[in-house]
């Protein structure tokens, strides 16, 4: 079992690194740099308006909810596959060893995520809730303990059918929230509930191997976890594991009219392919939401321009979408028509993005002068820079 786990772990890590290279590309890293800077600036301004060390129950409940949400960031990873139901079923009695190796491997990443949530919440704990830095370490210990217990529960669910039900899963989540609320308000009750949960899970683990291993559940829950990651990666590159379905919607043809063959192809290629339409919608709305919560107009405008430029770069591969189809080379049309039709389409969708982003800047900064200024800048980029990028891309 140790050799099987080691082989799968190495293969899984190579696969994750392969896709992470596409996710954290130069443009996205630069965007994240400004995004985190903007959020940190807004967070600091938010803390300044809060009453110091008030200990209001709203702040305590907010703290408990934030720490509780961190419990679900990183899930238990077993790396089981569909074929294991057939080929590993004779080793049913050794699966506890395999799952323990999986738990030990995935727990450090889970605890790291929990630590980062605690670090982000630390200024709020000290400023608004009123705990000292030393007292704040209690919350780090409690959340780390709950994360370990949650991992242990996920491991035992592979043997106990009742742990696989929605009732038990949500029961554990609500109990974890109750424990965190208790530590914020009345620590003795929190200690009692935490030790009670530790005792129950410890006793159930001793009897775990007396039950049959739930192969179908184990494979399904792991496939669900991995599909969540693949959907995230699919926002940045093509992932073969993510399959999309196609449905004919004839009533939308009125919005997809094109006068030339290239206009017809580009409009439908943009609307039908997830890496274009979905990416455009998500990046546009993400920029709108981010700028909506930044009251500094200059910073919000800079983020809007940066995301606008990044979005334009992400849509440019549409120009090569049909180059592999032989019939596009048989058309009696030169590249100027192709360039013109692509420019016309992208200018329309990017103009809509410019309006939405500028609206977010205006609402966030509460200054329509900033919003209007950003709109003018983005329209100028739309008319100038976008044409240059398309001309260079089509000319390659």
């Amino acid at each position: 079992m140790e050799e099987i786990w080691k082989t799968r772990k190495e293969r899984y890590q190579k696969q994750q690194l392969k896709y992470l290279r596409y996710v954290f590309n130069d443009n996205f890293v630069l965007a994240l740099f400004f995004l985190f800077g903007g959020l940190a600036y807004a967070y600091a301004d938010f803390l300044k308006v809060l009453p110091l060390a008030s200990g209001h129950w709203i702040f305590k409940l907010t703290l408990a909810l934030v720490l509780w949400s961190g419990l679900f960031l990183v899930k238990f990873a077993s790396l089981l596959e569909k074929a294991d139901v057939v080929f590993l079923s004779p080793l049913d009695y050794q699966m506890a060893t395999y799952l323990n190796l999986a738990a030990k491997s995935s727990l450090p990443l889970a605890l790291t995520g929990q630590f980062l949530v605690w670090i982000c919440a630390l200024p709020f704990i000290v400023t608004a809730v009123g705990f000292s830095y030393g007292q704040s370490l209690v919350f780090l210990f409690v959340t780390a303990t709950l994360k370990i217990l949650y991992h242990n529960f996920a491991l035992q669910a592979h043997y106990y059918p009742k742990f696989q039900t929605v009732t038990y899963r949500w029961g554990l989540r609500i109990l974890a929230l109750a424990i965190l609320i208790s530590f914020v308000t009345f620590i003795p009750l929190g200690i009692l509930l935490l030790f009670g949960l530790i005792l129950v899970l410890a006793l159930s683990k001793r009897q775990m191997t007396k039950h049959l291993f739930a192969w179908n559940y184990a494979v399904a829950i792991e496939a669900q976890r991995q599909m969540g990651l693949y959907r995230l990666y699919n926002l940045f590159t093509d992932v073969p594991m993510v399959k999309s379905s196609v449905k004919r919607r004839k009533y939308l043809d009125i919005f997809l009219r094109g006068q030339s063959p290239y206009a017809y192809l580009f409009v439908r290629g943009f609307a039908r392919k997830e890496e274009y339409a979905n990416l455009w919608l998500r990046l546009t709305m993400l920029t709108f939401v981010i700028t909506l919560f930044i009251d500094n107009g200059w910073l919000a405008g800079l983020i809007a321009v940066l995301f606008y430029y990044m979005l334009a770069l992400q849509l440019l591969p549409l120009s090569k979408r049909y180059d592999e189809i032989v019939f596009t080379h048989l058309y009696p049309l030169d590249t100027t028509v192709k360039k013109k039709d692509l420019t016309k389409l992208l200018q329309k969708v990017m103009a809509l993005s410019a309006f939405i982003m500028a609206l977010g800047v205006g609402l966030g900064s509460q200054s329509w002068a900033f919003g209007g200024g950003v709109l003018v800048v983005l329209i100028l980029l739309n008319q100038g820079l976008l044409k240059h990028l398309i001309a260079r891309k089509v000319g390659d």
Side-chain angles (χ1 to χ4, degrees):
M1 280 299 174
E2 292 182 2
E3 189 63 30
I4 293 175
W5 170 254
K6 182 180 179 181
T7 303
R8 291 195 174 183
K9 180 182 176 181
E10 291 176 354
R11 184 177 62 192
Y12 179 74
Q13 288 176 341
K14 288 180 181 179
Q15 184 191 52
Q16 298 306 303
L17 290 174
K18 169 188 171 183
Y19 287 117
L20 287 174
R21 286 191 294 108
Y22 294 104
V23 175
F24 293 101
N25 55 62
D26 294 340
N27 295 323
F28 190 64
V29 169
L30 184 61
L32 284 178
F33 177 78
F34 284 99
L35 172 61
F36 288 143
L39 291 177
Y41 183 86
Y43 187 28
D45 283 348
F46 171 72
L47 292 176
K48 290 177 183 178
V49 301
L50 296 179
L52 293 177
S54 66
H56 195 277
W57 69 270
I58 287 291
F59 298 151
K60 293 181 178 180
L61 179 60
T62 302
L63 172 61
L65 287 172
V66 169
L67 296 176
W68 177 72
S69 64
L71 296 174
F72 314 112
L73 289 179
V74 182
K75 298 180 180 179
F76 178 82
S78 65
L79 305 185
L80 291 172
E81 303 170 359
K82 286 185 178 181
D84 294 339
V85 179
V86 176
F87 295 102
L88 291 185
S89 56
L91 302 177
D92 194 304
Y93 64 96
Q94 296 186 32
M95 288 308 298
T97 303
Y98 178 90
L99 291 180
N100 284 325
L101 291 171
K104 291 178 182 178
S105 178
S106 57
L107 189 58
L109 181 60
L111 292 177
T112 301
Q114 201 67 44
F115 176 75
L116 293 176
V117 173
W118 176 80
I119 284 292
C120 293
L122 187 58
F124 181 79
I125 296 174
V126 176
T127 304
V129 183
F131 290 102
S132 66
Y133 286 101
Q135 292 172 324
S136 301
L137 292 174
V138 174
F139 297 108
L140 177 61
F141 172 77
V142 172
T143 52
T145 304
L146 287 173
K147 189 61 182 178
I148 294 172
L149 294 175
Y150 199 78
H151 250 54
N152 193 275
F153 175 85
L155 186 153
Q156 294 185 39
H158 291 75
Y159 288 92
Y160 289 104
K162 60 183 180 180
F163 284 3
Q164 302 166 15
T165 61
V166 176
T167 303
Y168 266 80
R169 282 185 289 174
W170 273 102
L172 179 64
R173 293 174 183 177
I174 293 173
L175 179 58
L177 179 60
I179 291 172
L180 288 170
I181 293 175
S182 299
F183 270 95
V184 174
T185 56
F186 187 62
I187 293 180
L189 178 59
I191 295 174
L192 182 63
L193 291 174
L194 183 60
F195 273 101
L197 180 59
I198 293 173
L199 181 62
V200 170
L201 289 178
L203 291 175
S204 62
K205 190 171 184 179
R206 293 180 62 182
Q207 305 294 324
M208 182 179 70
T209 53
K210 294 182 180 180
H211 298 263
L212 293 176
F213 186 76
W215 283 102
N216 291 332
Y217 168 81
V219 171
I221 203 71
E222 177 61 18
Q224 181 182 352
R225 184 196 69 84
Q226 292 192 26
M227 188 55 63
L229 290 175
Y230 293 146
R231 288 197 181 98
L232 172 64
Y233 299 152
N234 197 50
L235 298 177
F236 300 88
T237 185
D238 289 332
V239 179
M241 286 70 75
V242 178
K243 305 294 183 182
S244 58
S245 58
V246 177
K247 184 177 181 180
R248 179 76 170 106
R249 292 181 174 87
K250 193 173 182 179
Y251 57 88
L252 294 177
D253 285 350
I254 188 173
F255 301 105
L256 302 178
R257 291 176 178 173
Q259 300 299 322
S260 72
Y262 277 119
Y264 183 93
L265 290 175
F266 285 142
V267 169
R268 277 165 172 74
F270 175 83
R272 289 175 177 174
K273 292 296 291 181
E274 292 184 355
E275 62 262 35
Y276 301 123
N278 285 2
L279 177 66
W280 169 80
L281 179 61
R282 289 169 182 170
L283 269 182
T284 301
M285 297 312 299
L286 176 64
T287 308
F288 175 78
V289 172
I290 292 172
T291 54
L292 192 62
F293 290 97
I294 298 177
D295 57 2
N296 187 311
W298 291 104
L299 178 61
L302 181 61
I303 291 176
V305 171
L306 181 65
F307 271 74
Y308 186 87
Y309 176 71
M310 184 174 69
L311 178 57
L313 291 179
Q314 295 290 333
L315 294 180
L316 285 180
L318 180 61
S319 63
K320 306 291 184 181
R321 167 81 180 138
Y322 301 101
D323 286 359
E324 305 260 338
I325 300 177
V326 65
F327 297 105
T328 58
H329 300 282
L330 298 178
Y331 290 156
L333 301 170
D334 55 25
T335 56
T336 57
V337 178
K338 177 182 178 181
K339 194 182 305 181
K340 176 183 176 183
D341 291 338
L342 180 62
T343 303
K344 186 177 179 181
L345 170 65
L346 293 186
Q347 281 186 333
K348 287 181 179 179
V349 297
M350 292 302 292
L352 181 57
S353 294
F355 175 78
I356 296 174
M357 293 177 181
L359 180 63
V361 173
L363 293 174
S365 63
Q366 298 182 354
S367 171
W368 293 113
F370 271 112
V374 170
L375 180 61
V376 170
V377 172
L378 295 182
I379 291 298
L380 290 175
L381 290 176
N382 190 17
Q383 296 298 317
L385 179 63
L386 190 60
K387 285 184 177 181
H388 171 72
L389 293 175
I390 292 174
R392 189 176 63 179
K393 190 73 176 178
V394 175
D396 291 342

